[in-house]
Amino acid sequence: MKKYKAVNRNDIVINVLRVLISGLIAAHGWARWHADAITPFGSWLDEQGFPFGFVIAYAVTSVEIIGTPLLAFGYFVLYLCPIYAFIYVAGIVMVHASEGWFVVGLGRNGMEYSVLLVVCLLGIAFHHKEKGLEH
């Protein structure tokens, strides 16, 4: 008789969450790319006092596009999750916090969505680290 390994439901949930979050982050990068919004994003960063705003905007967009398939398939999780969390924390500080909590409804452009992304990303990284996975 063949023995089957028990399915760990926590791993399934984290994997589904990791793929979903990857898709949501990819949408950010691809939307910016297709809307030709990298240059305006870079100009806005310049206005905020960042040197090389276009380079930063291009790097953020690139990591959102190139890194998300890797994250979805479970590669470089311990590197990508903190990078994405940093990007979205920066967005909270620079844009969303001043708009309040709600994205829609009782407010507009608030930080609730970004907070959710950051918590999910850190949770995924924590789970990955706890499982002792290398990449």
Side-chain angles (χ1 to χ4, degrees):
M1 181 182 291
K2 191 173 187 177
K3 282 185 138 182
Y4 291 96
K5 186 176 178 183
V7 175
N8 184 327
R9 291 183 181 169
N10 291 336
D11 290 342
I12 292 170
V13 170
I14 291 294
N15 288 337
V16 169
L17 184 61
R18 191 185 69 244
V19 170
L20 174 66
I21 294 296
S22 296
L24 294 173
I25 293 171
H28 276 248
W30 282 111
R32 192 177 306 112
W33 180 273
H34 286 292
D36 289 326
I38 298 172
T39 300
F41 180 30
S43 296
W44 181 81
L45 289 170
D46 286 334
E47 291 169 9
Q48 304 308 306
F50 286 90
F52 311 108
F54 177 78
V55 174
I56 296 169
Y58 192 83
V60 167
T61 303
S62 296
V63 78
E64 286 176 333
I65 291 172
I66 296 167
T68 49
L70 295 170
L71 181 62
F73 285 108
Y75 294 102
F76 307 111
V77 173
L78 294 176
Y79 303 104
L80 290 168
C81 284
I83 290 168
Y84 291 133
F86 176 80
I87 290 168
Y88 294 112
V89 166
I92 290 168
V93 171
M94 296 174 67
V95 177
H96 302 294
S98 65
E99 299 293 330
W101 179 254
F102 296 103
V103 174
V104 297
L106 297 176
R108 192 90 176 135
N109 204 26
M111 61 183 166
E112 69 178 325
Y113 176 72
S114 296
V115 169
L116 179 61
L117 284 175
V118 169
V119 171
C120 288
L121 286 162
L122 296 178
I124 291 166
F126 179 78
H127 178 81
H128 203 79
K129 180 74 173 165
E130 286 296 304
K131 295 295 277 186
L133 300 171
E134 303 255 335
H135 50 71

